[in-house]
Amino acid sequence: EDQVTQSPEALRLQEGESSSLNCSYTVSGLRGLFWYRQDPGKGPEFLFTLYSAGEEKEKERLKATLTKKESFLHITAPKPEDSATYLCVITGNQFYFGTGTSLTVIP
Amino acid sequence: GAVVSQHPSWVICKSGTSVKIECRSLDFQATTMFWYRQFPKQSLMLMATSNEGSKATYEQGVEKDKFLINHASLTLSTLTVTSAHPEDSSFYICSARRSTSGRYNEQFFGPGTRLTVL
């Protein structure tokens, strides 16, 4: 069965405390993996697209990596404004959404 | 680039009335647009896929006569919630995918519309 699992469900970090969010998948025929950030009451904001294992993308304090089974979103020295829910979306034969990781960065 | 807008951002209506939500891709053409519904602290639930010039494809369990979707142009899709009831209250989000061929392109999401039915 095709599915996407994100972990942890919730993560609390001190400001400056680096960590990683995980998105593991069992989707056959992966065509793309997307990371989004969603703030409360807003639509998801596109962050990264990854297409093949070994690919990496970076943007400010965020770095996304992809293997054949999972993707990581690394957050380096996070700030309170990084607090949000991070969504992983995969395209195979259709779109598959993870349930998200709610990140809280404490000053 | 790749900006998607929604209008209105929030709406309150009486039970039994119909509400139309617009989704526009502002700086790109989108042959495919998607409509989602999101409940508090839950992930997005795909309601339907809308292709320009053709009928929308609805997900299982979504009433096509209740949630009317029209994708009249490459930059505009509308969702009409007909005879709305309190249980239709939710956060509705649209997304658009660029019309370039090749790989499955990322979706760009609108800011969402908060619907409250009294």
Side-chain angles (χ1 to χ4, degrees):
Chain A
E1 180 185 355
D2 293 336
Q3 64 179 14
V4 179
T5 304
Q6 287 189 248
S7 62
E9 286 188 17
L11 181 62
R12 289 172 65 89
L13 299 173
Q14 289 291 137
E15 184 172 2
E17 179 186 0
S18 301
S19 187
S20 296
L21 282 55
N22 177 265
C23 171
S24 62
Y25 60 92
T26 56
V27 174
S28 57
L30 179 143
R31 298 181 188 233
L33 185 147
F34 314 111
W35 281 100
Y36 293 87
R37 168 196 171 125
Q38 186 176 24
D39 293 295
K42 296 185 178 180
E45 174 190 343
F46 171 73
L47 293 175
F48 302 111
T49 304
L50 301 167
Y51 286 114
S52 54
E55 193 173 357
E56 297 183 353
K57 294 278 180 70
E58 277 189 76
K59 180 182 178 181
E60 297 179 353
R61 296 179 291 282
L62 300 176
K63 179 179 177 180
T65 62
L66 179 65
T67 72
K68 289 185 178 180
K69 294 183 179 180
E70 59 192 347
S71 175
F72 289 96
L73 184 64
H74 307 278
I75 302 178
T76 303
K79 297 181 178 181
E81 53 262 41
D82 294 323
S83 298
T85 295
Y86 291 85
L87 289 170
C88 170
V89 181
I90 288 176
T91 299
N93 295 321
Q94 60 187 67
F95 285 100
Y96 302 91
F97 278 74
T99 52
T101 293
S102 175
L103 173 66
T104 303
V105 182
I106 304 164
Chain B
V3 178
V4 176
S5 71
Q6 277 184 247
H7 178 78
S9 56
W10 59 269
V11 56
I12 301 173
C13 68
K14 291 183 179 180
S15 185
T17 61
S18 295
V19 175
K20 180 186 282 188
I21 303 170
E22 290 187 351
C23 176
R24 293 181 184 272
S25 56
L26 298 184
D27 52 3
F28 66 99
Q29 292 186 329
T31 49
T32 306
M33 289 184 169
F34 305 88
W35 286 97
Y36 296 87
R37 186 172 179 175
Q38 187 175 36
F39 293 103
K41 298 188 178 181
Q42 293 188 24
S43 190
L44 286 76
M45 183 187 77
L46 179 65
M47 298 175 65
T49 301
S50 168
N51 292 297
E52 187 265 339
S54 62
K55 291 184 178 180
T57 303
Y58 290 82
E59 295 300 302
Q60 192 172 9
V62 177
E63 299 175 59
K64 58 182 67 176
D65 293 331
K66 181 165 188 63
F67 299 99
L68 301 179
I69 292 172
N70 183 278
H71 193 159
S73 76
L74 287 172
T75 59
L76 174 64
S77 178
T78 59
L79 168 68
T80 301
V81 183
T82 62
S83 186
H85 291 282
E87 56 264 32
D88 299 323
S89 299
S90 190
F91 192 50
Y92 292 87
I93 304 175
C94 74
S95 72
R97 194 168 68 191
R98 277 189 275 222
S99 303
T100 54
S101 60
R103 283 169 161 172
Y104 277 46
N105 294 294
E106 56 274 5
Q107 299 175 55
F108 296 95
F109 289 85
T113 297
R114 173 73 58 192
L115 171 63
T116 302
V117 184
L118 303 176

